[in-house]
Amino acid sequence: MADEVSKNLVDRTDVENRGDDVEVSVVIPLFNEEQVIDEVLGELLRFLTEYGRLSEVVCVDDGSTDATVERVGRFIAEDPRVCCIRLSRNYGQTAALMAGVAQSSGKVIVTMDGDGQYDPSDIGILMEKIDEGFDVVSGWRRKRNDSLPRVLLSRIANGIASRVAGVRLHDFGCTLKAYRRDVVAELRLYGELHRFVPIFSSWHGGKVVELAVNHRRRSAGQSKYGYGRIFRVLLDLILIRYLHMYMHRPIHVFGGIGLLFMLGGFGCGCYAVWLKFVEGISFILTPLPLLTVTLIGIGTTSVMAGLLAEVVVRTYYESQGRRPFIVKEVLTFEAFE
């Protein structure tokens, strides 16, 4: 989906022709934020001007039905640092962020929401950690200004995510994050996986750190995130765990499950034979025959799915010339001379 929405991105020659490399790209996904976008962009641009580093602001309109784009257009007409990508419909935050990243040109990419709940000055402390050598700096809404049920559910989801992924963060859902460009430039994210970029980075050897950031109360508009998102996040966690542990060897998970079912079917069959010839009880009157056939059938199907998944994975890597590993560096004799 991220590929689909990034096919027709506008050229950023107005930034590239300045002669210097953009240091910071701020990517902001927007969906019906006409009530707050003037304040958000105004405050952000004032901070970036004071900050001094060459920067750009990439707004991504994710299918807004209000006057969000028109309001952003006023800033574009006055400030060459601002551009806006309009998606054809509402694709979701992950796709919007990926479109913004593809359009950006900065060495460091900072993402933030356009609802006014984040403080642009916190970008400075995120950049300090990037300058120290970290690859991902993730914001942490330590004092979160949201409803109590939302905060409690978020803490539960973050706790589960930390345990499942093995990456200890307090707030995966905080959109205010800073990334080195090479961390996110080649990622292809779908669904709602944008919040788990720190996990992907950590798994590939990236240095990840978390910093507390300010979180304000929403001054206008409505939150675009419902409680149903919690369940989608849990499903995404299952997905990324599979991608991390079994993407390169799917037969291990499908085959393992299949063998367990087949073993259960074999056990039911053996018990049925025991009842018939040892206990003298007719197993025809029990559910054992049906259970035996069902379990063995499910097990066989699962093993076959694993074999097909192995073929798909090999086709995926070999057809695109990809490798199932990342080389961090190559040390040679000349390097030590």
Side-chain angles (χ1 to χ4, degrees):
M1 183 175 293
D3 290 338
E4 179 185 352
V5 300
S6 60
K7 286 180 180 178
N8 300 310
L9 302 183
V10 298
D11 293 331
R12 290 296 292 138
T13 54
D14 60 331
V15 172
E16 295 169 358
N17 288 340
R18 286 192 243 171
D20 296 315
D21 292 332
V22 175
E23 294 184 69
V24 184
S25 294
V26 182
V27 177
I28 309 177
L30 300 170
F31 179 64
N32 292 343
E33 298 290 3
E34 66 172 345
Q35 294 178 296
V36 295
I37 190 59
D38 287 350
E39 180 181 349
V40 170
L41 287 181
E43 185 180 13
L44 173 61
L45 291 171
R46 287 193 296 272
F47 165 76
L48 292 176
T49 299
E50 296 173 358
Y51 190 51
R53 297 195 182 188
L54 193 62
S55 58
E56 65 177 354
V57 177
V58 181
C59 299
V60 184
D61 177 62
D62 191 22
S64 294
T65 57
D66 61 4
T68 296
V69 174
E70 287 75 10
R71 292 184 177 275
V72 174
R74 299 174 187 173
F75 287 90
I76 297 175
E78 299 177 355
D79 196 323
R81 293 176 295 178
V82 184
C83 75
C84 183
I85 304 167
R86 296 190 66 182
L87 304 187
S88 60
R89 62 174 176 83
N90 181 252
Y91 286 91
Q93 192 173 21
T94 295
L97 286 172
M98 288 298 97
V101 169
Q103 178 67 7
S104 67
S105 56
K107 298 175 183 177
V108 177
I109 298 170
V110 176
T111 61
M112 63 181 292
D113 285 334
D115 56 10
Q117 290 191 268
Y118 292 108
D119 185 349
S121 63
D122 284 332
I123 294 175
I125 64 173
L126 300 184
M127 290 298 298
E128 289 177 4
K129 287 298 181 181
I130 290 290
D131 292 339
E132 290 176 13
F134 289 95
D135 299 295
V136 177
V137 186
S138 183
W140 171 21
R141 296 165 292 183
R142 178 179 289 175
K143 296 181 179 180
R144 185 169 176 178
N145 282 299
D146 282 323
S147 64
L148 182 59
R150 186 182 297 275
V151 173
L152 292 177
L153 287 173
S154 177
R155 288 181 178 177
I156 294 173
N158 284 311
I160 295 174
S162 292
R163 289 185 176 276
V164 170
V167 179
R168 301 295 180 179
L169 294 180
H170 295 87
D171 192 359
F172 287 97
C174 179
T175 307
L176 185 57
K177 293 181 173 70
Y179 312 93
R180 292 190 184 277
R181 182 167 198 85
D182 54 0
V183 171
V184 294
E186 298 301 322
L187 283 180
R188 295 293 181 268
L189 302 179
Y190 305 89
E192 296 187 11
L193 293 181
H194 64 275
R195 60 177 51 83
F196 299 128
V197 172
I199 295 176
F200 296 130
S201 177
S202 177
W203 283 348
H204 289 99
K207 296 177 64 178
V208 179
V209 68
E210 187 176 48
L211 287 178
V213 296
N214 295 324
H215 190 246
R216 306 161 172 170
R217 289 192 179 277
R218 181 181 258 275
S219 59
Q222 296 181 346
S223 174
K224 311 304 185 298
Y225 307 113
Y227 294 114
R229 184 180 57 158
I230 299 295
F231 300 102
R232 295 194 295 271
V233 168
L234 294 178
L235 292 175
D236 284 338
L237 283 172
I238 296 174
L239 172 61
I240 65 172
R241 187 65 177 178
Y242 167 77
L243 293 177
H244 176 55
M245 297 296 296
Y246 299 106
M247 175 64 177
H248 310 307
R249 44 193 175 95
I251 187 63
H252 288 188
V253 62
F254 289 103
I257 293 174
L259 290 176
L260 287 176
F261 274 101
M262 294 172 70
L263 183 61
F266 179 75
C268 289
C270 290
Y271 184 53
V273 173
W274 170 272
L275 290 178
K276 174 66 175 178
F277 295 101
V278 177
E279 300 292 337
I281 302 174
S282 176
F283 60 80
I284 300 298
L285 302 178
T286 71
L288 290 174
L290 180 59
L291 192 58
T292 299
V293 173
T294 301
L295 292 177
I296 292 178
I298 293 175
T300 302
T301 302
S302 183
V303 172
M304 295 302 296
L307 294 175
L308 290 175
E310 288 284 340
V311 174
V312 171
V313 167
R314 280 155 176 73
T315 301
Y316 168 76
Y317 282 110
E318 295 175 10
S319 65
Q320 302 183 57
R322 291 176 176 267
R323 298 180 296 181
F325 56 86
I326 296 176
V327 177
K328 185 175 183 179
E329 63 178 332
V330 178
L331 300 177
T332 63
F333 175 79
E334 289 77 9
F336 293 91
E337 290 184 337

